[in-house]
Amino acid sequence: MTQDLAEARHVKREDYVSCTVAFIDCKKPGSHLKENYSIIGPGVTSSDDQVINLPEAHGFNIGAAAMPNGITNNLHIHFTAEVFIVQAGEWTFRWGSNGENEIKGTAGDIVSVPTWIFRGFTNTGPDDGWLFTILGGDNTGGVIFHPEIIREAADYGLYISSDNRLIDTSRGDAVPDESGRIPPMPDEDVAALREVGRDEMMSRIVAKNARDFKPGFIDSGLPGRGAELAPVIGHGITQNREHAAPITNPHGFSAEWLRLPAGGTVGPFTLDEKMVLMGHEGRMCIEYVDGGGATVEVNAWDTYSVPASRQIQITALDDVTVEALLVVTGDHRKRPAFKAEVIAEALDAGQGLDAGGFVAKASLLPTYGRAS
């Protein structure tokens, strides 16, 4: 991994490029100040003007929404997983055929909304707010906006073509005939959508104060290490057999919080899958341990993509704790492979990996010949 290749996978906060005409509600009063970001993959944007920082396929999309106080993203349906990570601000998330249900979210909270239900959100905090988003799949299929939004958008000369392109007559776009644009969803189909109760939705929220941080890796107990993980969605990369993700239905990716103490390190290790680190707090260094000497410093709010099968080491910089969300492609359990020297050091400290790949007391692990 050369330095240039390593840096090309780093999307810094200042590299994010907003689009204010990403969706059909972009001219609706109260929604006109939305900013949409496509950081990894196109997401669900309908605009040809959307800038995509890293278009490479990952099996999921990373995006963001920035909105000032009082601005709303209107009711819409997704066909693949949609996960919100509250980076800043206070938010009200709505769901239901008419957005009749509400929950609140603040910085550090994560919300996973079921597919095929209407959802929307409003920045109800006093300041500008920022949401990171994860969308399942490389092709998300676009979105379906609530029929009332589609009808109102036509008053502003806005339509969505059948290939998910925003048509804006004010800039000279021709209105497609009915067969070439997405019509409002029929009322009977809206009424037939699955109802999601409050208890079910609350089970899909991992609040900041509910994160279950535990030592995450074979090297967590070694001097100068100390990495902890808190699972959020699916089978992640934890090596702690006591970990259990609170959100278990398939998303096409896993998500878990990584926490490193000031100066702490994890690795070197390799994953067979692509992994994205979304910086939440603090600053970390990602070092490629393959002889190339490439290193990248990732700040809070930055996004960094680690290619599959690359050996890396992560170190917390400065005198603060680092928190980042790890997103890894696939619903299966992932198994980090630590460098032999790290495994040997852990064994000297009395820790090993059992046949399931979980950390265990080394003296309890069998060494008989049939165990291969």
Side-chain angles (χ1 to χ4, degrees):
M1 177 65 76
T2 66
Q3 188 66 31
D4 287 346
L5 289 174
E7 290 178 355
R9 308 188 71 81
H10 185 193
V11 188
K12 300 176 183 178
R13 182 181 183 184
E14 57 264 30
D15 296 332
Y16 302 155
V17 181
S18 70
C19 179
T20 58
V21 290
F23 302 112
I24 198 171
D25 64 342
C26 63
K27 293 185 180 180
K28 178 180 172 63
S31 300
H32 60 296
L33 297 179
K34 289 189 304 179
E35 296 181 355
N36 188 71
Y37 298 82
S38 291
I39 300 169
I40 295 177
V44 291
T45 183
S46 298
S47 176
D48 293 335
D49 297 333
Q50 184 80 57
V51 173
I52 305 168
N53 294 105
L54 187 57
E56 174 189 321
H58 280 62
F60 54 84
N61 293 252
I62 301 290
M67 293 156 51
N69 167 264
I71 297 299
T72 292
N73 190 10
N74 293 284
L75 294 174
H76 59 281
I77 284 173
H78 282 267
F79 314 118
T80 65
E82 181 179 40
V83 174
F84 299 106
I85 303 99
V86 182
Q87 180 71 16
E90 300 173 8
W91 298 81
T92 297
F93 299 96
R94 300 181 182 86
W95 78 95
S97 295
N98 294 293
E100 60 271 22
N101 306 292
E102 291 186 356
I103 54 173
K104 303 290 186 180
T106 56
D109 295 349
I110 293 182
V111 181
S112 172
V113 184
T115 60
W116 276 101
I117 65 168
F118 280 111
R119 83 290 308 275
F121 48 91
T122 300
N123 176 3
T124 48
D127 305 311
D128 292 349
W130 184 282
L131 292 173
F132 282 108
T133 60
I134 315 170
L135 301 175
D138 292 315
N139 179 5
T140 63
V143 294
I144 299 175
F145 271 88
H146 194 277
E148 292 302 321
I149 300 302
I150 292 180
R151 294 186 187 103
E152 184 176 356
D155 295 336
Y156 298 100
L158 297 175
Y159 304 87
I160 294 292
S161 70
S162 55
D163 61 351
N164 193 37
R165 290 183 62 252
L166 184 66
I167 305 299
D168 185 352
T169 59
S170 70
R171 64 183 186 189
D173 295 344
V175 178
D177 59 33
E178 290 187 3
S179 64
R181 64 178 188 255
I182 296 176
M185 180 182 285
D187 292 342
E188 60 270 24
D189 290 321
V190 173
L193 293 173
R194 182 171 77 92
E195 293 187 6
V196 174
R198 184 173 184 83
D199 287 347
E200 179 180 348
M201 187 62 76
M202 292 301 293
S203 73
R204 302 177 66 90
I205 300 172
V206 179
K208 182 175 183 176
N209 61 6
R211 297 177 299 179
D212 182 24
F213 279 107
K214 291 184 175 75
F217 303 106
I218 184 70
D219 67 342
S220 290
L222 298 176
R225 302 291 180 142
E228 295 180 306
L229 292 173
V232 178
I233 297 168
H235 300 292
I237 67 173
T238 183
Q239 293 179 317
N240 190 324
R241 64 180 178 274
E242 296 181 3
H243 265 145
I247 304 173
T248 59
N249 70 293
H251 282 57
F253 55 85
S254 61
E256 58 204 317
W257 288 106
L258 168 69
R259 185 163 68 188
L260 271 175
T265 292
V266 58
F269 68 88
T270 302
L271 274 183
D272 290 337
E273 302 83 6
K274 292 181 181 180
M275 176 174 69
V276 170
L277 294 91
M278 304 169 67
H280 188 68
E281 295 179 358
R283 194 166 63 100
M284 57 189 159
C285 175
I286 299 174
E287 178 184 359
Y288 286 89
V289 187
D290 62 356
T295 61
V296 179
E297 293 186 1
V298 178
N299 295 314
W301 298 71
D302 290 0
T303 302
Y304 190 79
S305 168
V306 180
S309 304
R310 293 286 188 171
Q311 195 169 76
I312 62 166
Q313 179 170 284
I314 306 171
T315 302
L317 301 175
D318 307 321
D319 294 325
V320 298
T321 298
V322 163
E323 287 187 3
L325 191 70
L326 308 182
V327 185
V328 185
T329 185
D331 291 312
H332 60 287
R333 183 178 158 215
K334 296 86 181 179
R335 298 200 181 196
F338 278 77
K339 197 172 183 180
E341 288 86 340
V342 176
I343 299 294
E345 187 178 354
L347 284 171
D348 288 342
Q351 296 294 312
L353 292 175
D354 65 19
F358 292 113
V359 177
K361 190 175 180 180
S363 62
L364 299 178
L365 297 174
T367 57
Y368 51 84
R370 288 194 177 199
S372 59

